[in-house]
């Protein structure tokens, strides 16, 4: 099905991954912090949810494009995995089938992968939870898949409305999933640290009862925008 | 943007809150009981879910009308909070952005607020869970918001299809969120108590194997409605 | 409302239930395994979710057809329950009302029922969780229901897109809900056992780092389908 | 089911309707214009759609609260209709049943009603279209309803997230449905006229190729907000 | 994939179709009338919509079970078609791909088929509209499908929550889609006629301004249910 | 808000547009044909619908990233338009507000733009239909927007799950919206022509009653896949 006109039926073997040290540094921060540090970009749609409440993961993306009801390319992707990778799987259409279960998780983990982000369904959730294998998905579904139609591995994909390039870093926790472009990981980690330092000071003020109105100097712009206080 | 024709850009400072003792009494009952005691009214849409399973809250509403992607008015609302209040936030359109996180929760708690009901998204869910700050929301999302457009505080709002007036009581638990009009709180608490007393007797009968058909005298009306028992 | 042209207003008293020993055997397997063992059929839509994470149930179906906002027929169904049954409730239209709570759960349990599968809402989730009464539903909602319009008991129903006949076996866990036709339960249990035996061997190989590409002999069909490996 | 604690089971006979002349004046404007003239409030959720493309209506609201799958109160409402009224029907829960068809339309029209706004389903759409009876609804569905449970007529209702009081004016066209509070109708008509006069001048400028950037003086605030033009 | 445990990979050649004369008679009635005549059963979910406003069809069902993104079985079904048939296609999971376009429509029509009901997507809608080939579907989508995985033809299927057996009659118009079991077609046509005769008399009364309250004798049961009229 | 870490607050003035002659050639084909010619890629999600049934457009993309409830950047985009362009607007989150109406359409048309593809809402649909200004959107909504927060113009965007780069060609009709990368337009037009030529021959065969089973040689692969014909 691959033609010069599309990226279907292709596996890219050699991808540039984000710098290991930078990824480690980034892994200390939550998704909300990283998203803000980047200037409020990079988030997937909030329908992506963890399969267990405290799932979290940070790693370099090996991307997969799946066809609906077909998990062939997840097996192809397994061979391309390196320690520290996270599999990031798109599907050509909305599909909630159970593309992934405990066998593939065992395989991915044996290759050093840290988790899965999938715009589709997963199953064997009890086993995955016991394995502490973090998965963020659009659905949980027992429905099995076939192995009949080609997709691709390590091409740019759109997952839950976010573009992911192979080698980018994905970070996921209970607040959602954020994508950090490969070449920005170090800078985003620094900006995240700065933001967190800054937040701690504010948190202390809030704890003492100081209002955001005063901490952020909002009273004047609110008045300028026309906010009126009425007594009754 | 406020005109004589709408309630936008307004903060009402003085609101009549439901009677403290009545709120305390009401707080002993679950949402399902209160909803039934009122005659089956007052519930928000079931898309409102707790951010952690055992979240629950009962308090007097400080209402907020938000614009999409803009949490300015939550900071304005913070100043209006009194101990025992619950912030109840509507949005002018469907929006799942993360309007609220651990900093605002710290601020709200410092002002004595007990929780948040929001027809939008929240983030920092891990921190909020550790703080045991109960939030009921339409979504969880890391996406940040701006502070650019006015809404209002303490005007009547529609939250998840329910009308909430400032000073009303909102009660929320795993079954959903119910609104009790300010002047009815005492009566509803009494009716809830009566209902609960009544249920305990029934529960005992059900435990012994007596059927609802007999407890509620349903056999005759079922037959009158034409129910037929067929043997094979 | 019942006419010779439909099944409304009917209760079938005598239904053939799946063989007890076969049900016991089947109960050892998860939903994903059973669904695969049957050749990938029989699943309900993934919007059916457990009300607490580790809920699971396996039993013979007593089916119910409900009208929206009306739980009359659940009381009628209670009388038809035998030990080992699971109540499987459809609704004539999409409806999320709280048809079921702790009183009915107490009644069903007193009759020997093991759980509930309902294409609607439930409430008293805190109590149901404490009782460890497994429920799989489309929604959680405190909204109460009336007892005014007839449905039926023990007719074939469509629940979340799956056909359930009275006496069939339903199995539910965190991965979803599957229906096994009454006369196939033994064969499906055998096929499930075979599948599970087979999986254990594969799991060991995956753990050792062998790829699915090799375990399943996929390299040749992938090449035949045109998969290309590109170096950069 | 009516208790002092709710508004169920009530029909208010005498309601104050918006001033006829003001309604006539308002009827010349579209929904988008009116919504803007009010300061961007009063709209129903966009899931409310006309059953035929050029449906439009403007009239005084007779409000109805329906129970799911039950159209009893529409018959009760018919008796309260006066020429120039529009029936505005809420439902206690999400429900798409066909509450309304050509017979009720014939009845409503005979009473002088101009149309229907319903947060539910309708049927007989071919006949309604031929009758040119404008209906705005959440769904089209052939499913019939019963007459078994009380709602109310002429109480305040929430329809598609908007509050409607009896006697308010509702205006609906292909862009949506807007609610104008009874006492504001004249002022809103005036503001709508002003807005429309103002728009015509702008339309002419746009036609000539003048940019909104210049018509609205946006270049400076955009620069102040930090907008950067980059050449490649 | 077919096993003794499921119906996948099967084509039933000989099916009993509903009686031609009865189908003809039934074809005179609309979906709402037929649904009511059957006692309010048999409707598909209202997400099934015509691809052009005045599409309508009535014929005997040749059923198809599709796999997501795969239209192989529609070609298999074409061979089983006889004049007067309507293809009724289910899919194993939610899928909106464009399974069907103008080529298949040309094929189906050449075989005598009258239309298509599909719980999936269709494309070439402009051509289908020009051909006046009626299609009722869950979506319109240009997305193409593969021919790789078996489903079945002429087994019982669940389409948009309704069970359809091969040979049953499906009737579709702007109000929705209804399924009439094969052996009931004559009786349902008679009941539909009776209902329509009855409606005409009522329509006349409604036209004259008589209220449903009086036509249906509702005043007494409303009072018995507790309806209160209040003056202000 | 723009930082080196994101593309917010940026307008790219000079973009390379697809070759005019190639765009003209491509404009002769429908969306389904183009999507197939590319090897089944490039489609937007089917929730994108035309605001009137026969809307269609083919042109070079000027891309816009909008903030929810804010149409500022559409005015900024107007200045960048050249004859033959189509505005393609993404939003940072799901939002159905009415970002666009007849004034902006007048402005866009005055600049030579051919239409709008927007992952948001539009209004003034009656006027837009009379103007024959083709718009494909996720929603119709009268709700107005503010001009307060920066997005960007002519950066790569994700619209309804498809990536669009400035200068790419978008083609839209009743079947959906497809994106053709700038450098592939000529090749895709050629492939589309080939496909259409090929289809005409098949259409003739289908008309004569030849089956797809025979035209495409499916009988053997179906048998190989295990398809069984059963007689009753």
């Amino acid at each position: 099905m691959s033609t010069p006109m599309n990226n279907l039926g292709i596996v890219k073997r050699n991808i540039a991954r984000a710098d290991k040290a930078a990824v480690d540094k980034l892994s200390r921060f939550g998704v909300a912090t990283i998203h803000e540090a980047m200037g409020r970009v990079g988030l997937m749609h909030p329908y992506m949810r963890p399969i267990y409440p405290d799932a979290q993961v940070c790693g370099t993306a090996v991307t997969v494009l799946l066809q609906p009801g077909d998990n062939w390319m997840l097996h192809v992707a397994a061979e391309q995995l390196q320690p520290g990778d996270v599999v990031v799987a798109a599907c050509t259409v909305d599909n909630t089938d159970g593309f992934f279960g405990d066998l593939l998780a065992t395989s991915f983990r044996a290759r050093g992968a840290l988790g899965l982000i999938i715009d589709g369904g997963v199953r064997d959730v009890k086993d995955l939870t016991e394995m502490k294998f973090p998965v963020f998905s659009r659905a949980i579904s027992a429905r099995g898949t076939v192995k009949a139609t080609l997709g691709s591995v390590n091409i740019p994909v759109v997952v839950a409305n976010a573009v992911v390039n192979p080698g980018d870093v994905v970070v996921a926790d209970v607040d959602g999933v954020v994508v950090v472009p490969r070449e920005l990981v170090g800078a985003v980690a620094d900006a995240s640290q700065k933001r967190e330092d800054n937040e701690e000071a504010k948190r202390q003020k809030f704890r003492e009862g100081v209002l955001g109105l005063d901490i952020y100097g909002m009273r004047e712009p609110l008045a300028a925008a026309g906010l009126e206080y009425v007594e009754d």
Side-chain angles (χ1 to χ4, degrees), chain A residues 83-157:
Chain A
D85 283 345
V86 172
V87 178
V88 180
C91 184
T92 54
V93 294
D94 286 359
N95 187 252
T96 60
D97 289 351
F99 294 91
F100 181 86
D102 80 299
L103 287 187
L104 265 169
T106 303
S107 177
F108 283 11
R109 179 165 278 175
R111 308 290 297 184
L114 303 177
L116 171 71
I117 313 292
I118 183 166
D119 198 351
V122 296
R123 60 185 188 175
D124 300 335
V125 164
K126 193 182 164 192
D127 297 317
L128 295 172
T129 303
E130 281 165 12
M131 289 171 69
K132 287 286 167 199
F133 190 88
V135 178
F136 293 74
S137 72
R138 125 184 306 225
I140 292 170
S141 170
R143 190 171 300 271
T145 51
V146 299
K147 292 149 190 26
T149 309
L150 293 186
S152 292
V153 172
N154 280 333
I155 64 167
V157 291

Side-chain angles (χ1 to χ4, degrees), chain A residues 16-106:
Chain A
R17 285 170 170 82
D19 175 68
K20 195 102 195 152
V23 177
D24 282 353
K25 196 168 166 198
L26 191 70
S27 72
R28 275 176 250 144
F29 304 101
V31 169
T33 297
I34 292 168
H35 158 71
E36 288 284 353
M38 290 173 75
R40 290 189 194 138
V41 298
L43 278 181
M44 291 186 186
H45 195 286
Y47 65 61
M48 298 293 288
R49 298 299 302 145
I51 59 166
Y52 51 90
D54 58 343
Q56 55 184 71
V57 73
C58 173
T60 41
V62 164
T63 63
V64 183
L65 180 61
L66 298 165
Q67 302 287 352
D70 191 313
N71 76 346
W72 221 6
M73 302 314 285
L74 290 177
H75 286 282
V76 174
E79 193 174 30
Q80 307 305 316
L81 291 171
Q82 294 184 5
D85 283 345
V86 172
V87 178
V88 180
C91 184
T92 54
V93 294
D94 286 359
N95 187 252
T96 60
D97 289 351
F99 294 91
F100 181 86
D102 80 299
L103 287 187
L104 265 169
T106 303

